[in-house]
């Protein structure tokens, strides 16, 4: 019962923080979308596939970036079968709809957590990612990736620091407590550029009171979504043990 109450409290905090962030950032999401077409491709073109990795990462963090990189590239390439293959058994064992499209109401968030999908297949994973595309557009290129935390206390909601609870929220979100504490190694956060459909472009342009052509020329128009991953060590190998797709944030 104690563990159940702790899980519910953690999920409640996760739900409230997610709702707060969504409420604050929805206008930003509508106005800070991204550039598509040839101009967008040139804008986000990378000299090599490591360009989106954090250049200021500490030497000991580099290995985590290299492990998470293929997952980000697979998602950005819309190769969801390849992304699924990089998930650990823990990540495949349980997935909540909140990991793909966070509920904006606490009750909805709790309901999604109470009725997760279990033993998720590659086909089911690809289906769930459609919620991400519907909300943010089709992925087209990795934007950035950095290591957020390797602190075991932060990765397990045990930090006694002043902002420890918030650090854990950003690091692992609603990661279930049943995933063993001693296998959690690092939390990483990154962003992936997306491309809006013609209808989505028209909707954004209309909301801003400009034409689609003017919207495309806006240098600040660059749609993306955030992707959080937690790496775990499974059978001696680092794998993606948990993930969350999240909307753009004013703290990005």
């Amino acid at each position: 019962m104690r563990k159940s109450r702790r899980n519910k409290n953690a999920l409640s905090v996760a739900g409230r923080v997610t709702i707060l962030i969504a409420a604050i950032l929805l206008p930003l999401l509508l106005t800070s979308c991204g550039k598509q077409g040839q101009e967008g491709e040139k804008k986000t073109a990378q000299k090599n596939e490591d360009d989106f990795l954090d250049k200021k990462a500490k030497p000991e963090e580099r290995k985590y970036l290299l492990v998470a990189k293929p997952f980000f590239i697979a998602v950005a390439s819309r190769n969801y079968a390849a992304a699924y293959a990089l998930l650990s058994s823990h990540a495949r064992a349980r997935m909540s709809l909140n990991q793909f499209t966070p509920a904006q109401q606490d009750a909805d968030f709790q309901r999604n957590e109470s009725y997760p999908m279990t033993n998720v297949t590659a086909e089911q994973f690809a289906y769930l990612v459609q919620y991400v595309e519907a909300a943010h557009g089709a992925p087209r290129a990795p934007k950035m990736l950095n290591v957020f935390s390797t602190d075991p206390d932060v990765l397990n909601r045990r930090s006694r620091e002043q902002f420890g609870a918030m650090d854990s929220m950003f690091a692992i979100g609603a990661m279930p407590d049943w995933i063993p504490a001693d296998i959690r190694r690092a939390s990483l956060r990154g962003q992936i550029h997306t491309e809006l459909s013609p209808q989505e472009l028209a909707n954004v342009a209309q909301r801003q009171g400009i034409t689609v052509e003017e919207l495309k020329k806006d240098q600040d128009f660059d749609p993306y979504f955030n992707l959080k991953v937690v790496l775990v060590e499974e059978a001696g190998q680092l794998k993606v043990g948990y993930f969350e797709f999240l909307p753009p944030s004013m703290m990005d």
Side-chain angles (χ1 to χ4, degrees), residues 40-167:
E41 294 295 337
K42 291 179 181 178
K43 181 177 179 180
T44 58
Q46 297 168 345
K47 295 179 180 178
N48 62 67
E49 64 176 16
D50 286 348
D51 278 358
F52 71 99
L53 303 182
D54 184 10
K55 302 298 188 298
K56 298 180 180 179
K58 300 175 182 177
E60 61 270 23
E61 295 176 340
R62 181 73 178 173
K63 63 180 179 181
Y64 299 125
L65 291 172
L66 294 178
V67 169
K69 181 182 75 171
F71 184 73
F72 273 73
I73 291 177
V75 171
S77 303
R78 303 179 73 189
N79 188 347
Y80 300 132
Y84 176 85
L86 297 169
L87 298 176
S88 74
S89 62
H90 296 85
R92 299 179 187 182
R94 175 194 183 278
M95 293 184 194
S96 163
L97 185 59
N98 289 324
Q99 292 175 243
F100 300 86
T101 174
Q104 296 188 25
Q105 299 296 325
D106 193 35
D108 294 334
F109 189 93
Q110 294 290 347
R111 182 172 59 253
N112 289 344
E113 292 300 316
S114 298
Y115 298 97
M117 295 182 67
T118 57
N119 300 317
V120 179
T121 65
E123 292 74 18
Q124 290 173 322
F125 175 74
Y127 172 79
L128 289 168
V129 180
Q130 291 181 21
Y131 284 95
V132 181
E133 294 195 4
H136 308 295
R140 64 182 177 84
K143 183 176 181 180
M144 57 83 68
L145 175 63
N146 59 45
V147 175
F148 181 79
S149 179
T150 58
D151 185 340
D153 289 336
V154 171
L155 298 178
N156 290 283
R157 303 189 183 96
R158 298 184 310 219
S159 177
R160 296 184 180 277
E161 298 295 329
Q162 181 179 2
F163 299 105
M166 185 64 70
D167 286 341

